[in-house]
Every structure is written in C-alpha cells, then in structure tokens.
Amino acid sequence: MKKEARYLVPGDYMADPAVHVFNGKLYIYPSHDRESGIPENDNGDHFDMNDYHVFSMESMDDEVTDHGVVLAVKEIPWAGRQLWDCDCAHKNGKYYLYFPLKDKTDIFRIGVAVSDKPEGPFIPQANPIRGSYSIDPAVFDDGDGNFYMYFGGLWGGQLQRYRNNKAQENGEFPKDTEPALPSRVVRLSNDMLEFAEEPRAVVILGENGKPLTAGDNTRRFFEASWMHKYNGKYYFSYSTGDTHRLCYAIGDNPYGPFIYQGVILTPVVGWTTHHAICEFKGKWYLFHHDSVPSGGRTWLRSLKVCELEYNADGTIQTINGGGE
Ligand code: FUB
C-alpha cells in the first residue's frame, strides 16, 4: 500500500470507522452519513444517520466488499434517532455490535445487537445497556477474556450532562482551570450485553503529572475514543473536537491513567475527526475520515486509510490530515 491516505468507499459517505481483524479478514464498522437536510448546529442534529453497513477486505490492496445494511433505526425497539459511531467485538463465536442512539426522549444511550457473523446482520436487544449514556462506544479485547468499552462525547454527545455516572439537572462544563471531562471506561459482562461495573473516568495526565484541564482544548478529550495495545502498552486515542486533532496518551493497563504523548493526525477537511488504529498482516494502519469528496460538507464524510508508523521509543509519527 502507498504511504498517502486513500479513500475506501468512493461511492458513498461513511465515517467514524471502527476496525478489527476477525478470522484473518479486516472488517470496518463505520457510521453511514446521509443528506437529510437538517441544518448544521452544535447539537449535531445534522448527523442524522439511520443505518449501518459493514465492509471487509482480504488485504490492504483490495477493494472493500460492502455487506449491505446490517442494522437500521427502524429495527431497534427503543429507537428515537441518530445512529452515530459504532464498534464490534467477537467472543465465543458471536459478534456484538455496540451503537449509540437517541432514545424516544432524545437522550443518547448505547445499545447492542448480536450476530453469528462479523458481517451481520445484527439483531438488536430490546433495551439499551443499563447505565449507558453518551456516544462513541469503542470496545477493546484485552486478550485475557476481558473486554472494555470506552465511550463518551461532548456537546451533541451529551457527556457534559453526567457526573459520577448520574445525569445532572444542568449539564455544565467545568471551568477552564478544572480537570477536563473524561472519556469513560467500563468492563463488559461475560455475556457482553451489560456493564460488569460502574464506568470509570479515563484520566489523561500532562507532563506535570496532573490531569489535563478543560481549558487545554488542543489536548483534552472531546469524543471518538479508541484503544489499542502496542509492545505491551495501552494507547488511548481520541479527538479533541473543537480543535480537530486526533491525540493519544499511553498507560500500563486498560483503566489508565494515561500520559499525554502528542498528535496522531492534524486537522482534516470537515469539523469532525475520528479514527481506528489496527494491525493487519504485520503493518499498522490509521483509518479515519474527511469531508473532501463532499466539498467540505461536514456531515457527509468519506472513509480513508493510511499507514501508521511508530518511532523506536513507541511514540507515533504525526500524520498530516490536510485540513490546516
Ligand atoms: O458521526 C457523528 C459523530 O461525529 C460521532 O459520534 C463523533 O465521533 C463525530 O465523528
């Protein structure tokens, strides 16, 4: 594969990739963007997606295979609107698709749908996961029987409405000098359908050993959590949202704390940036999206992939997103 990023699904708008290798093949679980005519606002109402497709690749030089619609809003019993970034995990021959969706009262919850195959179709559970909230679930298989979900997103993702896993009367943001609102991490139950514990804060420490502050908006967490392991270390990566970077922090276990390291991807064309990092056939890749093919329409994004390279000390080489 060439070093420069390439678009994966030229014929349709797909975003927010989650990527895993199952049975030797690469599977991509993106959001499916569409033009619904809803005006752009800070609440993200213009991201009005109503189904998911799954894509697979035999090798990185392949074209992607589209497995079609695998889950739609109309099939989900508790659905309100807006299917945002999903992820998939495999355990004991079953595949679990985790997805954020607003319920009938316009509150984001995280649901799960199950299939016998990585390419679906997926059958949704009757209710969202008990105790779930906000958006952007990313599920990490630690290889020891434990699976962890990272989730949360600010602004339209509603994370600011919660403290200690409880909804607040007024969802207020911390002051600039206070610790930033964190992503959450939770271990999943053995049957993969519930949280096994109360979600915990994903704390990112700066060089002074203190949590990044809310005012540190070029480095603090905003949305789009992802976890991968490299050389025994845990790499938590995320979007800084309103400053449009993908950044990462490294820890010694899935719960953290994580120490801030730097930028993986500089801003792309389009407001959102979102990614997955995955090893496939001996190389590492960054999957992400931008809005170049739609002429900058930020709610119509296109999937991309490029190689990701590490330095000898385990830090990641910054990739140019082309949007600055
Ligand atoms: O696709 C809708 C939202 O945009 C996602 O949930 C965020 O991560 C951002 O990419």
Side-chain angles (χ1 to χ4, degrees):
M1 209 192 106
K2 289 197 239 76
K3 286 268 185 243
E4 58 270 22
R6 71 158 163 130
Y7 289 100
L8 286 169
V9 186
D12 206 346
Y13 294 117
M14 299 283 163
D16 304 334
V19 179
H20 299 279
V21 177
F22 296 132
N23 313 318
K25 271 166 78 167
L26 190 99
Y27 286 87
I28 308 172
Y29 301 86
S31 304
H32 184 194
D33 285 356
R34 67 178 181 131
E35 180 60 88
S36 67
I38 296 178
E40 199 172 345
N41 60 28
D42 284 353
N43 203 32
D45 287 332
H46 47 300
F47 296 112
D48 187 32
M49 298 85 102
N50 63 3
D51 64 24
Y52 292 120
H53 286 229
V54 172
F55 298 87
S56 66
M57 296 170 86
E58 298 275 353
S59 83
M60 286 311 293
D61 296 320
D62 256 12
E63 293 306 306
V64 294
T65 300
D66 182 355
H67 296 280
V69 175
V70 298
L71 181 66
V73 164
K74 61 178 188 244
E75 297 160 354
I76 301 169
W78 54 275
R81 61 183 181 130
Q82 294 183 291
L83 276 176
W84 285 9
D85 157 59
C86 66
D87 195 7
C88 186
H90 171 229
K91 184 177 179 186
N92 296 340
K94 296 267 185 214
Y95 295 83
Y96 299 88
L97 187 76
Y98 299 90
F99 57 89
L101 175 69
K102 282 182 179 159
D103 66 14
K104 295 183 197 306
T105 66
D106 239 20
I107 303 294
F108 267 117
R109 306 277 176 211
I110 296 171
V112 55
V114 187
S115 176
D116 293 330
K117 293 178 290 186
E119 68 271 27
F122 292 88
I123 310 295
Q125 297 290 293
N127 295 296
I129 296 175
R130 203 175 318 133
S132 68
Y133 56 93
S134 198
I135 60 165
D136 288 0
V139 176
F140 170 68
D141 174 358
D142 203 7
D144 62 354
N146 290 312
F147 289 77
Y148 299 88
M149 179 189 290
Y150 298 81
F151 67 92
L154 302 182
W155 296 16
Q158 304 179 344
L159 187 64
Q160 66 279 5
R161 298 186 187 180
Y162 296 85
R163 296 289 190 284
N164 299 319
N165 302 316
K166 302 262 178 321
Q168 306 293 291
E169 274 295 303
N170 302 311
E172 283 183 10
F173 289 90
K175 295 193 178 66
D176 279 1
T177 51
E178 292 176 347
L181 290 172
S183 173
R184 308 291 198 267
V185 54
V186 61
R187 191 167 56 79
L188 296 177
S189 59
N190 282 336
D191 67 4
M192 302 291 276
L193 302 176
E194 301 278 351
F195 291 169
E197 59 187 3
E198 287 276 301
R200 309 180 195 190
V202 175
V203 176
I204 302 173
L205 303 174
E207 57 290 328
N208 57 4
K210 297 205 172 116
L212 298 185
T213 57
D216 192 352
N217 69 348
T218 59
R219 302 196 301 170
R220 60 90 175 94
F221 169 80
F222 187 100
E223 62 185 3
S225 300
W226 187 256
M227 171 57 66
H228 77 279
K229 214 168 167 179
Y230 178 75
N231 281 347
K233 295 281 187 192
Y234 293 79
Y235 286 60
F236 175 71
S237 47
Y238 56 95
S239 162
T240 62
D242 53 346
T243 55
H244 319 289
R245 294 164 161 80
L246 291 177
C247 293
Y248 73 109
I250 297 180
D252 292 325
N253 68 74
Y255 292 114
F258 299 91
I259 302 186
Y260 180 83
Q261 302 292 322
V263 176
I264 298 173
L265 184 71
T266 63
V268 296
V269 171
W271 198 95
T272 70
T273 186
H274 194 123
H275 69 302
I277 293 170
C278 187
E279 187 181 20
F280 187 44
K281 299 187 190 288
K283 285 188 173 173
W284 286 89
Y285 296 95
L286 177 76
F287 294 80
H288 57 109
H289 68 223
D290 72 24
S291 295
V292 170
S294 72
R297 284 174 292 170
T298 204
W299 60 98
L300 295 177
R301 300 160 294 179
S302 295
L303 278 187
K304 297 178 88 170
V305 64
C306 63
E307 275 186 51
L308 177 135
E309 290 178 306
Y310 298 88
N311 298 309
D313 64 359
T315 54
I316 293 174
Q317 293 181 12
T318 301
I319 297 164
N320 183 355
E324 269 182 335

